[in-house]
Amino acid sequence: RPHLGVKCGCNEAFVVTPLPLEDASRGLTRVTDAQGRVGCVESRLLRPVLRGEEVRPWAATSRELILWPHGSDGRPLPTLPPHAARWLAPWRPRLSRRTDLHGCAPWWTVFRTESASSAAPRVVWADLARGPRAVVLPPCDPTVPLNSCYVVLCSAIADAHALAALLNSPVAAAWLDPLAEPARGGYRRYLGWTTALLPVPRDWHRARAILAPLGERAFAGDPPNEHELLAAALRAYGVDRADVAPLLAWKDG
């Protein structure tokens, strides 16, 4: 079941851009926010962050970081280290008013953190896009997808590569585009429930053996072209091109 990406409340408080720091030996990173405020925070609390608009088929890059005031167990830190506390202090009133706190969680808590776990491989796709586009985050990748992304946690890396290959295929686009909610500029909303309507090949073990090598190739920097993806998807579903020709023609038209 897809998870919505992390909800961190006031993005300007948590999402920052790193700046050069002459002396990094103290374990600090110099950062700036969207309003140009500059400060230093503990480097160990910073993780790469991923927005939906930064997701491309097979790849995602971001210069931003998220201040992650949670421990390795996923729970909010009992106390903030001094530099992080100083950085977040101006936003404390707003962060404290969030209804998700329920009056008991620390005011710096980040919510919906399941999709931030790096314990398992993850497939991430953009909520808003001109077509389905998915990327694989392997285990131990610290990237945190924000809530403009959807995330599926997979049990094995081969499953993740296979699912990404399927979502990036012309077959998935032809199926999902009529279902996705239209938006301006030719964009569509690939919501969790929308993408969940894409049928998964009945024999997943066979489909994984067909699709995963293409995903692995792409992850290594050699992405397959649309013809390869289409042929692999058709084999995975066990159908001929003639069976889906009207669907593909509708998409291309």
Side-chain angles (χ1 to χ4, degrees), residues 71-181:
S72 57
D73 59 358
R75 297 176 181 273
L77 296 174
T79 58
L80 286 173
H83 288 84
R86 189 176 303 118
W87 177 264
L88 290 176
W91 287 279
R92 181 170 182 172
R94 288 178 62 187
L95 294 172
S96 298
R97 289 195 295 268
R98 292 177 295 168
T99 56
D100 290 345
L101 292 174
H102 301 298
C104 56
W107 58 268
W108 55 83
T109 299
V110 176
F111 298 105
R112 297 178 186 165
T113 58
E114 298 95 334
S115 61
S117 173
S118 61
R122 292 169 287 169
V123 177
V124 182
W125 71 88
D127 170 356
L128 187 66
R130 286 196 170 96
R133 54 195 195 196
V135 63
V136 172
L137 301 179
C140 300
D141 186 318
T143 301
V144 176
L146 292 184
N147 63 355
S148 52
C149 300
Y150 280 89
V151 181
V152 168
L153 308 180
C154 298
S155 58
I157 190 66
D159 292 312
H161 285 310
L163 179 58
L166 189 62
L167 289 174
N168 287 328
S169 74
V171 173
W175 183 276
L176 291 173
D177 283 0
L179 302 174
E181 178 184 331

Side-chain angles (χ1 to χ4, degrees), residues 154-241:
C154 298
S155 58
I157 190 66
D159 292 312
H161 285 310
L163 179 58
L166 189 62
L167 289 174
N168 287 328
S169 74
V171 173
W175 183 276
L176 291 173
D177 283 0
L179 302 174
E181 178 184 331
R184 290 183 178 181
Y187 285 82
R188 293 180 174 85
R189 300 289 306 276
Y190 297 94
L191 306 173
W193 71 264
T194 305
T195 308
L197 293 176
L198 177 68
V200 174
R202 184 173 302 171
D203 187 346
W204 179 248
H205 292 291
R206 175 180 174 275
R208 183 176 62 184
I210 295 168
L211 295 166
L214 296 181
E216 291 166 2
R217 264 181 52 194
F219 188 78
D222 180 24
N225 59 45
E226 284 208 352
H227 296 293
E228 292 176 287
L229 285 170
L230 176 59
L234 293 177
R235 285 179 57 212
Y237 282 113
V239 298
D240 296 324
R241 182 172 182 133

Side-chain angles (χ1 to χ4, degrees), residues 4-19:
L4 189 67
V6 164
K7 180 182 178 182
C8 63
C10 304
N11 275 6
E12 63 268 32
F14 290 101
V15 178
V16 296
T17 302
L19 296 172

